[in-house]
Amino acid sequence: MAKLCQTEDLTEIQQEILSTVRQFVNDKIIPVAQDLEHSDTYPQEIIDGLKELGVFGLTIPEEFGGLGESILTYALVVEEIARGWMSVSGVINTHFIVAYLLMQHGTEEQKAKYLPRMATGEVRGAFSMSEPGLGSDVSAISTKGTKLEDGSYSITGQKMWLTNGASSTLVALLTKTDEGQDSVYKNMTTFLVEKEAGFGETAQGVTVPGKIDKMGYKGVETTELILEDHKISADQILGGVPGKGFFQMMDGVEVGRVNVAARACGLAWRGFELGVAYAQQRKTFGKAIAEHQAVLFRLAEMATKVETIHNMMVRAAKLKASGKRMDVEAGMAKMLASEYANEVVEDSFRIHGGYGYSKEYEIERLMREVKFMLIGEGTSDIQKMIIGRQLLKEYAL
C-alpha cells in the first residue's frame, strides 16, 4: 500500500502544490516548531514563507490575484501544515473563512476591495461569532449593531476566542441587529470590521486587550475583541443586506469544520509518524518494541484511524467544493477526525513511554494541541445533534 494520507484523482497542479507545501513543512516548520511553541512566539518567518508560496490566496479566484484552487486543495494543504505545527494551520484558517465568505456572499465592491489584498496576505482575516456568554448557542448573541439616523451603524459588545485577533486587519463580525423579523436568526448581521494589526485600541471603538493564555495552540494569538460604539458604514455589511448574518456565518462554519477535520488529520498523521519511528528505534528485551505484538497492534489501529479520517475529510471537502449541502458530512468528518486524532496521538504518547512526558519530545506538544480539536468549530456533542436531527428528517417514518 502507499503511505498514509494519499488522495487519488488530484490534478498535476494540486500534486505540485501539496509537494511544495510538504517540503516547506519539512524544511521550515518542523525544525523550529518546538522552540517557537514552547516560547509562545508568533511564527513570522513561517508566515512570510507561506505568503511567498501564495498560500494566503490559495482559494481566491485568479481574477483577484489568487490561485483559484478548490476547498479540497485548501483542506489538503491545511492537513500538511498541521502535520508540521497545528498553530500555523490556525493562522490561515480564519483568513480562509473570511475570504470564502467574501467570495460567496460579498458584493462586487467588497470583493474588489479586499480579495486582491487578502490573496497576498496584506489584509489578514479573522472570524468572530463567540462571546463570553455564547459558545454553541448562537441565538444568545448580545453584541448589538444599532442603526443610526444617517444609515450607518454603531456596534457595541464583547467577542471571544478570535484566532488572529491581533494580526488580523479585517474581522467578519456577527452582531444582533433589529430587522423586525420574528426569528432571532433573521435578526443577525455580519459586518466587515477594519482595524489595525496589534493590541490595544486598533480602530476607533475597537480594542484587542491581549493574548489569552492557553494550554496548547501556542504561537498563534487568541484574543478577545471589545467594541464600544464603533461606527461603521452600511457598506461594510457583508453582502450589503442586513439580517443574513447567521446564514452567512453557518456557511463559513462548514468550511471551518472541514478545516478542523483537516487539522485533526494532520495531527493524527504526525502522531503516527512519531510513534512508528520511535517504536522501531526503542529496544526492550533484545528487540525493537515495534516487534512486540501489543505495540504492533497499536500501530495497526493508529494507521487505520489516520486513513479513515483522511478519507472522510476529503469527502466532506469535495462536497463543499461542489456546492452541495454537507452539514452532516462536515459534522461527521469533524467529530470523527477530532476523536480519532486524540486517540492516535495518545497511543503514540503511550508508545513513547516516559519520554513522551518530556518537553524534549514532539509528542508532548501534540498531546496538548490535539485537545483543541475536540472543541474548535463545535464539540462532538454538537456535531452529534446536527447529524442526528438531519438523519431523523431523512429517515422519517
Side-chain angles (χ1 to χ4, degrees):
M1 62 170 284
K3 286 190 174 182
L4 296 180
C5 299
Q6 302 300 304
T7 304
E8 298 178 354
D9 303 324
L10 295 180
T11 66
E12 288 186 13
I13 292 176
Q14 286 175 315
Q15 291 173 4
E16 183 178 343
I17 289 171
L18 291 178
S19 176
T20 301
V21 172
R22 184 176 300 127
Q23 192 66 48
F24 182 84
V25 168
N26 289 338
D27 294 345
K28 303 296 184 181
I29 298 182
I30 290 177
V32 300
Q34 286 290 92
D35 289 341
L36 293 177
E37 198 274 344
H38 289 166
S39 61
D40 197 9
T41 300
Y42 188 78
Q44 188 60 57
E45 289 189 13
I46 293 173
I47 300 307
D48 291 342
L50 292 176
K51 286 181 182 179
E52 290 181 14
L53 291 179
V55 169
F56 282 91
L58 186 64
T59 60
I60 293 173
E62 293 181 8
E63 64 184 287
F64 296 110
L67 298 179
E69 279 296 321
S70 68
I71 289 177
L72 173 61
T73 310
Y74 151 73
L76 294 173
V77 165
V78 167
E79 182 183 38
E80 294 280 355
I81 293 173
R83 171 183 157 266
W85 184 14
M86 193 273 287
S87 290
V88 178
S89 64
V91 169
I92 63 174
N93 173 34
T94 54
H95 181 84
F96 276 127
I97 295 177
V98 176
Y100 173 83
L101 289 175
L102 281 163
M103 290 185 292
Q104 295 297 116
H105 305 287
T107 65
E108 292 306 312
E109 292 77 13
Q110 289 168 350
K111 293 176 186 177
K113 182 179 181 180
Y114 294 117
L115 288 178
R117 290 183 294 150
M118 292 187 77
T120 63
E122 177 190 348
V123 169
R124 299 275 301 283
F127 177 82
S128 180
M129 286 199 308
S130 293
E131 298 178 1
L134 180 164
S136 301
D137 181 12
V138 183
S139 66
I141 187 171
S142 62
T143 297
K144 186 70 183 290
T146 303
K147 191 170 185 178
L148 305 176
E149 290 185 2
D150 63 0
S152 64
Y153 286 77
S154 172
I155 304 177
T156 296
Q158 183 178 5
K159 290 295 186 178
M160 195 72 175
W161 308 118
L162 270 77
T163 301
N164 295 331
S167 57
S168 62
T169 53
L170 181 67
V171 182
L173 183 94
L174 186 65
T175 70
K176 181 179 288 184
T177 51
D178 185 8
E179 308 306 328
Q181 299 289 337
D182 57 358
S183 168
V184 66
Y185 299 107
K186 296 180 180 179
N187 284 281
M188 298 184 196
T189 300
T190 301
F191 286 93
L192 300 170
V193 176
E194 294 184 0
K195 68 179 190 65
E196 296 293 326
F199 295 99
E201 188 169 6
T202 59
Q204 186 174 3
V206 178
T207 301
V208 180
K211 285 199 301 187
I212 298 170
D213 194 16
K214 311 178 297 288
M215 69 177 286
Y217 201 17
K218 303 281 189 176
V220 56
E221 77 270 4
T222 305
T223 75
E224 296 177 74
L225 186 69
I226 299 172
L227 302 104
E228 297 179 359
D229 192 24
H230 174 63
K231 301 295 194 304
I232 189 167
S233 167
D235 293 341
Q236 294 300 105
I237 293 174
L238 180 63
V241 180
K244 298 182 179 295
F246 174 78
F247 307 100
Q248 293 167 342
M249 288 299 219
M250 289 304 103
D251 189 16
V253 165
E254 283 188 356
V255 175
R257 286 178 180 148
V258 172
N259 173 281
V260 173
R263 283 199 266 175
C265 288
L267 279 166
W269 184 6
R270 185 59 178 166
F272 172 78
E273 287 181 334
L274 294 173
V276 73
Y278 186 83
Q280 294 174 83
Q281 295 163 2
R282 176 69 169 168
K283 289 184 166 51
T284 62
F285 304 103
K287 59 182 178 181
I289 62 172
E291 297 179 36
H292 295 295
Q293 188 180 72
V295 176
L296 189 64
F297 282 12
R298 194 182 294 275
L299 291 170
E301 291 172 358
M302 291 163 65
T304 302
K305 289 174 181 177
V306 172
E307 194 72 10
T308 297
I309 59 178
H310 170 81
N311 289 327
M312 287 192 71
M313 177 272 291
V314 167
R315 179 169 181 264
K318 286 181 175 179
L319 284 172
K320 188 64 177 175
S322 71
K324 296 178 181 177
R325 179 171 179 171
M326 46 78 73
D327 49 345
V328 169
E329 290 79 6
M332 286 179 171
K334 191 275 169 184
M335 178 184 70
L336 197 66
S338 62
E339 296 290 347
Y340 271 10
N342 269 267
E343 292 174 13
V344 169
V345 169
E346 182 169 332
D347 280 342
S348 183
F349 173 78
R350 291 172 183 267
I351 288 171
H352 281 75
Y355 288 106
Y357 207 64
S358 167
K359 285 198 171 186
E360 289 184 36
Y361 283 75
E362 194 176 336
I363 193 63
E364 181 273 340
R365 168 169 61 84
L366 267 61
M367 278 289 289
R368 288 182 288 106
E369 291 178 333
V370 77
K371 299 305 175 187
F372 177 69
M373 300 295 95
L374 297 170
I375 302 167
E377 307 297 356
T379 64
S380 291
D381 290 337
I382 289 295
Q383 307 311 320
K384 290 174 185 177
M385 288 178 62
I386 294 169
I387 296 164
R389 286 171 178 170
Q390 190 61 30
L391 289 174
L392 288 180
K393 290 180 183 178
E394 293 181 5
Y395 288 88
L397 299 177

